[in-house]
């Protein structure tokens, strides 16, 4: 059976972009067609300045929202990255294989390091090396596919390169994975800056719809979305990025086609109103299930405990094999 791995980083509250671009596909398709692992990759949240308590809260919230979105822990493996030691164990081996040049060519490192310096902060070494940890996340489970947006495909290419390099130098150890981009709404854009991806954090959050936003808050954000000059409702990402973003969101919510929807509307106001209501209805069952899960915290704890146990059982043989292949002595009790 095909095995897939994907993770979500607890650096902010999950957004409509996270849901339409990844989580919904995980719940509706990926967990049913493959042996699926979905991880809260909390170690990746440590690459920049952070509040420890907030990372813990967001990790729990993210796991709860994955379940609320329809991911079934009896069908898929849901776990927290730091609960499985094999991620860190394998990451160091891959650091010994990767090169400084490869790390510094990573687009996200270039962008994030510039932002960090602009804020007057220092750039942590982990910001440079975290793509190797991401590779370890994937290779430890011998994953065949990695569902990612286009902004992460470079990291999957690095993972492939490291897997091939290791296999050639030390013997067949890893499966070489492939990226599988989401088919619909892979990049939901910021409502106030439709040329930028809807991320988890922004100074105001005015252009970001969070999965736990109240319905009135969702409506207000969408009704205030930046549109374009001219007044014509047309699907053109270059000339009309604001309107095109709304059309894509509406199409993703309703299962329609953004180009076809553009011919339905004569005004921005009508498009915004229908998009707002479609998003509110899309999020309603997720929010209701989230409330139920929050009321029973022991259920989540048990899901994560069993998920980590299952993930550890999958990863340990591969990582132990990599340690042997690269030339490390096994522990004495195992050698006997």
């Amino acid at each position: 059976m095909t095995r897939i791995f994907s993770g979500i980083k607890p650096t902010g509250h999950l957004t409509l972009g996270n849901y339409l671009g990844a989580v919904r596909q995980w719940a509706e398709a990926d967990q049913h067609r493959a042996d699926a692992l979905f991880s809260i990759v909390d170690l990746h949240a440590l690459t920049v300045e952070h509040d420890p308590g907030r990372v813990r809260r967001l990790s729990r919230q993210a796991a709860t929202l994955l379940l609320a979105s329809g991911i079934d822990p009896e069908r898929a493996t849901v776990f927290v990255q730091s609960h499985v030691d094999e991620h860190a164990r394998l990451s160091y081996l891959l650091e010994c294989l990767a090169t400084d040049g490869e790390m510094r060519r990573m687009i996200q490192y270039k962008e994030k390091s510039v932002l960090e310096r602009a804020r007057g902060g220092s750039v942590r070494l982990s910001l440079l090396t975290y793509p190797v940890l991401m590779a370890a996340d994937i290779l430890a489970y011998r994953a065949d596919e990695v569902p990612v947006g286009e902004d992460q495909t470079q990291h999957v290419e690095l993972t492939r390169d490291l897997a091939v390099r290791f296999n050639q130098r030390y013997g067949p150890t890893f499966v070489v994975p492939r990226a599988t981009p989401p088919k619909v709404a892979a990049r939901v854009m910021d409502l106030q800056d439709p040329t930028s991806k809807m991320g988890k954090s922004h100074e105001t959050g005015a252009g970001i719809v969070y999965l736990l936003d109240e319905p009135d808050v969702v409506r207000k954000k969408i009704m205030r979305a930046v549109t374009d000059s001219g007044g014509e409702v047309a699907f053109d990402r270059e000339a009309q990025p604001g309107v095109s973003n709304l059309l894509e969101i509406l199409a993703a919510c309703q299962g329609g086609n953004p180009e076809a929807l553009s011919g339905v509307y004569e005004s921005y106001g009508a498009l915004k109103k229908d998009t707002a209501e479609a998003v509110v209805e899309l999020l309603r069952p997720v929010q209701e299930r989230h409330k139920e899960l929050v009321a029973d915290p022991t259920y989540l704890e048990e899901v994560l405990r069993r998920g980590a146990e299952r993930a550890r059982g999958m990863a340990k043989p591969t990582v132990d094999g990599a340690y042997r292949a690269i030339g490390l002595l096994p522990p004495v009790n195992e050698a006997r």
Side-chain angles (χ1 to χ4, degrees):
M1 191 176 188
T2 298
R3 178 171 290 173
I4 66 174
F5 176 93
S6 200
I8 201 152
K9 188 163 56 173
T11 51
H13 301 287
L14 297 194
T15 72
L16 179 66
N18 297 132
Y19 183 76
L20 292 178
V23 176
R24 185 171 66 169
Q25 178 173 300
W26 299 351
E28 293 183 355
D30 291 340
Q31 69 171 336
H32 299 287
R33 68 177 180 83
D35 180 9
L37 297 103
F38 303 117
S39 181
I40 311 303
V41 288
D42 53 344
L43 294 176
H44 292 293
L46 311 185
T47 60
V48 294
E49 190 67 32
H50 63 277
D51 173 70
R54 186 169 186 266
V55 171
R56 284 190 288 269
R57 288 192 300 274
L58 290 174
S59 296
R60 177 178 287 273
Q61 185 187 87
T64 305
L65 281 168
L66 291 188
L67 301 181
S69 298
I71 292 176
D72 181 357
E74 298 301 321
R75 184 181 294 274
T77 303
V78 180
F79 69 104
V80 176
Q81 177 193 31
S82 64
H83 294 177
V84 181
D85 293 345
E86 278 63 35
H87 292 256
R89 289 180 62 209
L90 182 54
S91 182
Y92 181 73
L93 292 197
L94 297 181
E95 282 189 16
C96 295
L97 202 66
T99 68
D100 176 75
E102 285 176 315
M103 296 299 96
R104 295 189 187 279
R105 284 195 295 272
M106 293 290 109
I107 295 171
Q108 290 210 4
Y109 170 72
K110 292 178 181 179
E111 293 176 348
K112 291 181 179 180
S113 61
V114 168
L115 290 174
E116 194 64 30
R117 292 189 182 97
R119 287 196 292 262
S122 56
V123 179
R124 299 186 179 191
L125 178 61
S126 56
L127 186 63
L128 178 66
T129 61
Y130 89 89
V132 177
L133 176 58
M134 185 180 293
D137 298 338
I138 299 163
L139 297 180
Y141 298 101
R142 300 180 62 81
D144 302 288
E145 297 181 12
V146 189
V148 291
E150 59 187 68
D151 59 326
Q152 293 292 334
T153 54
Q154 188 186 33
H155 291 153
V156 179
E157 287 304 312
L158 173 69
T159 302
R160 290 172 55 84
D161 291 343
L162 293 177
V164 169
R165 193 177 305 161
F166 193 102
N167 291 345
Q168 289 176 341
R169 292 184 184 179
Y170 306 113
T173 304
F174 299 120
V175 169
V176 181
R178 62 185 180 275
T180 53
K183 295 179 178 62
V184 180
R187 283 177 71 86
V188 176
M189 313 308 279
D190 190 289
L191 296 172
Q192 293 298 313
D193 179 10
T195 62
S196 300
K197 181 182 174 183
M198 184 182 285
K200 296 193 196 78
S201 59
H202 192 274
E203 290 182 4
T204 65
I208 304 170
V209 174
Y210 298 104
L211 294 190
L212 295 179
D213 276 348
E214 294 289 337
D216 286 346
V217 174
V218 173
R219 293 186 183 99
K220 184 180 295 185
K221 287 180 176 179
I222 293 177
M223 293 305 293
R224 293 179 176 176
V226 169
T227 48
D228 310 286
S229 60
E232 181 186 1
V233 179
F235 184 70
D236 186 330
R237 291 189 184 93
E238 296 297 324
Q240 292 193 292
V243 170
S244 297
N245 188 37
L246 292 172
L247 288 167
E248 287 217 57
I249 292 171
L250 180 58
C253 291
Q254 297 182 341
N257 181 288
E259 293 187 35
L261 283 171
S262 66
V264 174
Y265 295 95
E266 296 182 354
S267 71
Y268 294 161
L271 172 61
K272 288 181 176 181
K273 183 178 179 181
D274 283 1
T275 302
E277 293 307 318
V279 172
V280 167
E281 290 307 311
L282 180 77
L283 298 185
R284 190 184 306 281
V286 176
Q287 294 179 351
E288 290 174 353
R289 179 60 178 148
H290 178 266
K291 288 180 182 178
E292 295 173 0
L293 291 168
V294 167
D296 185 12
T298 57
Y299 173 72
L300 177 66
E301 291 170 4
E302 180 61 15
V303 166
L304 295 180
R305 184 193 67 76
R306 287 189 288 112
E309 187 176 82
R310 193 185 307 164
R312 198 175 302 117
M314 293 182 201
K316 192 174 189 303
T318 299
V319 177
D320 286 351
Y323 268 58
R324 289 192 297 271
I326 207 169
L328 299 177
L329 284 172
V332 173
N333 60 335
E334 291 186 16
R336 290 176 180 174

